């Protein structure tokens, strides 16, 4: 039977099923199931659940949040309809291993829907023109632009130059999540019918098999602290404080070290009047010991949707000094045993009335002052090796300035400062500010082929690639396989709490174990740059991680690469 099965027809897609499910924060999202005809029988192959993503900032008005939730619900309903009707018919009979052909069909379908939407909008505008109601529409659409362009003009006497107005939010077609969900589901089905892991299937789609003798694991950016921005906390600049384990450690050792830091951080953040659970159990006259029951583990009472601890700070140095204290308490040294990355989320801080960033409650800085502040911060805390979104994407001159000042000491990453993958792919010059790399998120109409093409383009232009999870994460762990298969330098998954995030770290650990067992693990765990001598006053970025490729730095910062020492396989 096994012998003759080799001559059977290759599996083909016979049915797609879309349904509305909930993500990790209780928001509606899309699940896509793939059924294939295997040896004349219909068989369910796999499913994927898309992560939800919102452009609405944390401090948005309740009315704005409600409107966004309604639009998201309508979008998921439309996506379910697309999958169960149009896409189900269009992809029937195709091989799940033919990713390029599937993505081409999905792209053409999406383009058709975009054109239909434009036609509807054009007809609506013509109808409004005939009714002489055009004055309502421009006022509603241009109001933010007028505020942002006119107000800075009044501040010319105070500021050296007006700030660039915020670019309009990129429109998202209702139902577009069906395109991304279907493309990823087909990729998982292709891996399943080929009897290989998804990460290997993605890697084979990106490059030929001869170059896949070894694979590299991305370094995790593990979020430890989420700095809340509500009273009485004053610090607004820092959104996330993330830990990056050193490259000398295996992924498993790095995660264990992060967990040790998290436990000590929980102990320090615990209110002094709150006794640990073990003390509470002991105080109950030994009842826990008499009954043979163990005291329950301490509950994480303040956990963000990002899976990390929530705390409030009053100044920029407070969370960094707190991290130093935690590491010192357990015998670790920041800058040697662990490194930090900061997600600044500067786009959420701009006060367009003043034309400045509100970094602390009541404290404002211009874009040029922000650059000086970051330079001083990195010089004082050299263990910070990455800044994410230190400025708005509109402040391109300041991005250039900060890259010139800090490009050799720190990765400068664009997350929200970057545009969507669809536009990054069409703009061959990577339409983002000067930066070291970009955080890519698999959302909306993104297709697997788009990610493969874009990461190849980023690699060619010497940018680093970071795969990041959206705020509304799901329990689907495909993002990890995508990061490994695409050869991403980092992966940003949030904290080590909440099941939908921990399951991805577990998947990353499983891939490391599998690659090590097959002797195909290469990269950060088995080769690194030699550290500078201890007498050197400060370490360069190349002493901490595999160095940023030279073309990602301004010409005046490009230096000869240090000698690379490869460790023998363990």
């Amino acid at each position: 039977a096994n012998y003759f099965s080799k001559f059977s027809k290759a599996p083909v897609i016979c049915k797609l099923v879309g349904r509305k499910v909930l993500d990790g924060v209780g928001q509606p999202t899309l699940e896509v199931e793939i059924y294939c005809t295997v040896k004349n029988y219909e068989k369910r192959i796999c499913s994927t659940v898309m992560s939800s993503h919102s452009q609405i900032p944390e401090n948005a008005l309740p009315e704005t949040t409600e409107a966004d939730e309604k639009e998201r619900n309508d979008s998921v309903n439309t996506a379910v309809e697309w999958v169960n009707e149009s896409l189900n018919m269009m992809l029937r009979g195709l091989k799940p291993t033919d990713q390029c052909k599937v993505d081409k069909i999905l792209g053409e379908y999406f383009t058709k829907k975009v054109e239909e939407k434009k036609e509807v909008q054009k007809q609506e505008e013509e109808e409004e023109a005939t009714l002489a109601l055009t004055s309502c529409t421009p006022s509603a659409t241009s109001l933010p632009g007028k505020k942002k362009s006119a107000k800075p003009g009044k501040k010319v006497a105070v500021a050296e130059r007006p700030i660039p107005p915020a670019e309009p939010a990129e429109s998202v077609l209702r139902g577009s999540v069906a395109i991304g969900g279907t493309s990823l589901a087909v990729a998982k089905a292709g891996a399943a019918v080929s009897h290989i892991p998804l990460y290997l299937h993605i890697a084979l789609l990106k490059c030929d098999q001869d170059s896949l003798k070894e694979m590299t694991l991305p370094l995790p950016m593990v979020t430890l602290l989420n700095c809340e921005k509500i009273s009485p906390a004053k610090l607004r600049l820092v959104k996330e404080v993330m830990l990056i384990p050193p490259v000398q450690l295996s992924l498993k050792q790095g995660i264990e070290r992060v967990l040790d830091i998290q436990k000590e951080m929980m102990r320090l953040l615990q209110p002094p009047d709150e006794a640990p659970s073990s003390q509470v159990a002991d105080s109950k006259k030994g009842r826990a010991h008499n009954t043979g029951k163990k005291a329950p583990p301490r509950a994480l009472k303040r956990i963000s949707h990002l899976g990390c601890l929530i705390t409030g700070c009053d100044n920029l140095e407070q969370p960094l000094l707190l991290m130093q204290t935690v590491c010192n308490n357990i015998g670790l040294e920041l800058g040697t045993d662990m490194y930090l990355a900061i997600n600044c989320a500067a786009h959420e801080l701009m006060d367009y009335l003043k034309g400045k960033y509100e970094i602390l409650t009541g404290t404002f800085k211009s874009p040029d002052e922000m650059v000086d502040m970051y330079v001083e911060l990195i010089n004082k805390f050299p263990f910070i090796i990455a800044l994410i979104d230190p400025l708005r994407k509109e402040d391109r001159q300041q991005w250039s300035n900060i890259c010139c000042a800090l490009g050799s000491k720190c990765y400068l990453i664009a997350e929200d400062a970057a545009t969507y993958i669809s536009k990054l792919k069409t703009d061959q010059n990577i339409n983002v500010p000067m930066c070291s790399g970009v955080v890519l998120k698999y959302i909306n109409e993104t297709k697997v082929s788009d990610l493969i093409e874009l990461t190849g383009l980023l690699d060619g232009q010497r940018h680093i690639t970071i795969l990041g999870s959206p705020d509304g994460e799901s329990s689907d762990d495909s993002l990890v396989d995508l990061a490994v298969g695409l050869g991403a330098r980092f992966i940003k998954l949030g904290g080590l709490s909440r099941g939908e995030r921990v399951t991805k770290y577990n998947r990353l650990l499983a891939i490391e174990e599998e690659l090590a067992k097959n002797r195909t693990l290469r990269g950060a765990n088995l080769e690194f740059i030699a550290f500078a001598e201890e007498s050197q006053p400060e370490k360069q970025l190349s002493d901490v991680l595999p160095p940023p490729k030279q073309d990602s730095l301004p010409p005046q910062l490009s230096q000869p690469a240090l000698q690379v020492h490869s460790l023998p396989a363990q």
Side-chain angles (χ1 to χ4, degrees), residues 491-545:
I491 185 168
K492 183 173 175 285
L493 299 173
L496 287 171
S497 299
R498 301 185 64 96
E500 67 274 10
R501 299 194 179 268
V502 174
T503 188
K504 293 175 177 57
Y505 286 106
N506 289 337
R507 175 59 183 156
L508 196 56
L509 291 169
I511 293 176
E512 179 188 50
E513 183 178 340
E514 182 176 336
L515 291 178
K517 183 178 180 180
N518 296 335
R519 299 181 180 274
T520 54
L521 178 61
R522 179 185 63 83
N525 304 86
L526 296 180
E527 63 178 41
F528 60 93
I529 303 300
F531 276 82
E533 296 180 356
E534 294 183 1
S535 58
Q536 188 174 349
E538 65 177 14
K539 293 183 175 65
Q540 295 294 317
L541 181 62
S542 57
D543 300 323
V544 177
L545 296 173

Side-chain angles (χ1 to χ4, degrees), residues 219-235:
L219 286 171
M221 289 182 167
V222 186
T223 305
L224 183 67
L225 292 179
N226 178 215
C227 297
E228 60 184 353
K229 300 179 181 180
I230 58 176
S231 182
K234 295 181 180 180
L235 179 62

Side-chain angles (χ1 to χ4, degrees), residues 2 94 111 163 172 205 260 273 282 320 397 473 536 540 546:
N2 292 334
L94 295 180
T111 302
I163 64 169
V172 177
L205 289 173
D260 291 338
D273 57 342
D282 292 340
L320 304 177
Q397 181 59 49
E473 191 53 278
Q536 188 174 349
Q540 295 294 317

Side-chain angles (χ1 to χ4, degrees), residues 9 11 24 35 62 83 114-115 171 203 237 262 291 323 331 348 367 369 447 476 492 527 541 550 558:
K9 290 184 178 180
Y35 288 77
V83 172
V114 171
E115 294 299 325
S171 60
L237 177 63
Q262 178 174 286
T291 58
M323 290 297 306
E348 300 178 1
E369 292 171 337
K447 302 183 292 294
D476 194 299
K492 183 173 175 285
E527 63 178 41
L541 181 62
Q550 296 298 318
S558 297

Side-chain angles (χ1 to χ4, degrees), residues 374-504:
Y374 287 127
V375 171
E376 182 180 349
L377 181 70
I378 297 302
N379 288 335
K380 187 172 183 179
F381 300 100
F383 49 76
I384 300 174
I385 60 171
L387 293 175
I388 299 177
D389 284 344
L391 298 158
R392 301 180 310 146
K393 62 182 174 182
E394 293 84 2
D395 296 324
R396 295 182 181 273
Q397 181 59 49
Q398 286 72 28
W399 271 96
S400 178
N401 294 343
I402 196 174
C403 281
C404 291
L406 296 176
S408 62
K409 299 179 181 179
C410 175
Y411 287 114
L412 300 164
I413 310 298
E415 183 173 355
D416 284 271
T419 54
Y420 279 153
I421 289 176
S422 57
K423 292 192 176 182
L424 285 171
K425 191 169 69 76
T426 56
D427 187 353
Q428 297 297 311
N429 294 319
I430 303 298
N431 187 24
V432 295
M434 177 184 283
C435 58
S436 309
V438 181
V439 178
L440 304 179
K441 296 181 179 180
Y442 194 88
I443 54 175
N444 299 328
E445 71 272 15
T446 303
K447 302 183 292 294
V448 172
S449 297
D450 294 339
L451 274 183
I452 293 173
E453 181 179 348
L454 182 57
T455 52
L457 183 62
L458 288 168
D459 294 342
Q461 296 201 355
R462 306 302 185 185
H463 287 75
I464 64 171
T465 301
I466 300 134
L467 264 288
S469 60
D471 290 345
E473 191 53 278
S474 70
S475 57
D476 194 299
D477 59 9
S478 305
L479 178 68
V480 176
D481 287 78
L482 285 174
V484 175
L486 294 170
R489 178 73 63 87
F490 294 101
I491 185 168
K492 183 173 175 285
L493 299 173
L496 287 171
S497 299
R498 301 185 64 96
E500 67 274 10
R501 299 194 179 268
V502 174
T503 188
K504 293 175 177 57

